[in-house]
Every structure is written in C-alpha cells, then in structure tokens.
Amino acid sequence: MKVAKTIAAVRAFVRRAARPVVLVPTMGALHHGHAALIRRARKLAGSDGCVVVSIFVNPTQFGPSEDFSKYPRTLASDQALCREAGADLIFHPDVSAMYASDASVFIDESRLSDGLCGASRPGHFRGVCTVVAKLFLIVQPEIAVFGQKDWQQLAVIRRMVRDLDFPVKIVGHPTVRESDGLATSSRNRYLTPEERLAAPGIYKALRTAAAAKTPAAVLRTATRALAAIPGARIDYVQLVDSETLEPVRNLKRSTTLATAVFLGRARLIDNIQIPPIIS
Ligand code: AMP
C-alpha cells in the first residue's frame, strides 16, 4: 500500500493501475464502518483492480463554528486500518494541494441539499460536492463507495453524478453499528461515558418509530423517543422520500426517517429506511 500526498502522485499511480479503480472518500479517524466500505471496495475491485482511499478533512464542508480544527486526525492508525482492509493507495493531500487560496469554482446541488443536514449546515453539501467532484477528477474511479449512514450525502452525490455525467458508479454501503446499535462514527469519540451510554437511544427511537403506520405517527413516536434521551437536543427529525428527500404524506414509497441529535459536543446523525406499505 502506498501513500500519496500530491495530485500528480495519485495520477501517476492510477494511470498504471489495473481497472476497475474503486474510490472510498473519507475524512480519516477511520473506524470499522470505514473498514467495511474499504473491504466492499476491495471486493468490487477484485484482486487485480485498485482500491484508493482518500483521507482529507475538507475545510469547505465545515461551517465557521463547526469542528474543522478539532476534527480527529489519526493518520498512523488510519494507515494500518486501510492496509488491513485491502487498500492499495491512500490519498492524503494537504489543504493547499486541494484548494488554491483564491479558489472560486464550487459545485452547488440545489434541490436535495436544502433540507435535513443542509438546513442546519448551510454550505455543507456545496463543500461535499466540490471535494467529491475533485476526487473523481483526480482519481478517475470507475466505482465509488459511500455509506448509507450519510443518506442525504449519498442522495446528493448520486444526483451530482447523474446531472454532471460523471462516469462513476455509486455504491451505497449499509450503516455499520456498534453492538448496542449506535451508528459507528468518528464523532462518537466526543461523547462522555454518560453520553455514550445514552447514544444508542437514537437508533432505538428510529426503530420504534419505523413500526408506526402513518407519517404523523412515525414522526410523533420518533420525536418523543429522541426527546427522552438524557442530555439530547434534537436538531431535526424528518420523514422523507428516500430518493427525492421531499417530506412525505403517506408511506406508499420507500421513505427515510432521518435525524440529527446533539449530545454534548457531538452532533450525531442516523437514519432508517422504511419500506413502502402496500395496501
Ligand atoms: P467520513 O469520514 O465520516 O466523511 O465518512 C466517509 C465515508 O464513510 C462516508 O461515505 C460515510 O457515509 C461512510 N461511513 C461513516 N460511518 C459509517 C458507518 N457507520 N457505516 C457505514 N458507512 C459509514
């Protein structure tokens, strides 16, 4: 496994690589959720193809009062995890390698990005789309793997790929959880022991609510259960069409119950897919 710091080094590596090239974009502080994505990428690439993991804490997707400077950076253990999971190349650029100081071109998805996390994190998906588009242009993968934990991100990236004709197949990987149901996240390390004990209540709330029979009942149940988690503050809880992310009035199509919850220093997101009720 190699580590490349520059765009030129990545380009030289993938030019010589056997296809398919499969990309897993990350911000590092890797955990077993990321490892599952990298193993999935390894399977998709086969033994001949090439798995590239990018590790880049992307400043343009953080708001001014968010945790960009405090975001955990754990390159040594990230490298070990990548090697074990079957990566061939880590792309770990400095901010200056990715953005000119006067960069002025960004990609704005203008429909799916407004609600959910986009409402509380203005500009977040502009940063995500821009960096993912740049990674696609640098690495030129045939396939890219993203986690379903970030459901809105996955939907926005699929839309960008569709609308801008990126020749990349997007693969969504199911959310990896701790044994108590908490979605694995780099931000879980912000939790105090008490908050960590309370945090599985988020997924429990989503699961309980997903069994309700109407959108109103789903939302009512979820809101009540989330509000009962000690120390939790709900940022949002919404039931949306899984593809368009529009709020729904019935459960006839696949829906996504998505939430973001503040617990101490951490803002945790999770979602559950609700299959259509066929009557
Ligand atoms: P991040 O480093 O948090 O930006 O995440 C990088 C990629 O890993 C994204 O596609 C995430 O959706 C995915 N990911 C993060 N946590 C999980 C998880 N618990 N299960 C599945 N995918 C995840």
Side-chain angles (χ1 to χ4, degrees), residues 109 112 150-161 241-245:
E109 191 289 322
L112 310 181
D150 299 80
W151 187 267
Q152 185 177 19
Q153 169 173 280
L154 180 58
V156 168
I157 298 293
R158 284 191 197 283
R159 181 61 63 95
M160 176 182 83
V161 162
D241 181 284
S242 297
E243 198 187 319
T244 66
L245 308 187

Side-chain angles (χ1 to χ4, degrees), residues 25-28 31 33-34 37 71 145-147 149-150 153 173-176 183-184:
T26 82
M27 296 205 301
H31 48 65
H34 297 112
L37 266 61
Y71 197 84
V145 184
F146 291 85
K149 179 170 97 72
D150 299 80
Q153 169 173 280
H173 191 82
T175 301
V176 175
T184 311

Side-chain angles (χ1 to χ4, degrees), residues 136-188:
F136 286 174
L137 291 166
I138 295 163
V139 177
Q140 309 216 345
E142 277 77 21
I143 305 171
V145 184
F146 291 85
Q148 293 176 358
K149 179 170 97 72
D150 299 80
W151 187 267
Q152 185 177 19
Q153 169 173 280
L154 180 58
V156 168
I157 298 293
R158 284 191 197 283
R159 181 61 63 95
M160 176 182 83
V161 162
R162 186 196 77 177
D163 287 357
L164 297 183
D165 305 300
F166 278 99
V168 183
K169 180 181 169 198
I170 303 299
V171 171
H173 191 82
T175 301
V176 175
R177 299 182 180 281
E178 306 294 348
S179 55
D180 56 13
L182 174 64
T184 311
S185 165
S186 307
R187 288 185 169 104
N188 289 349

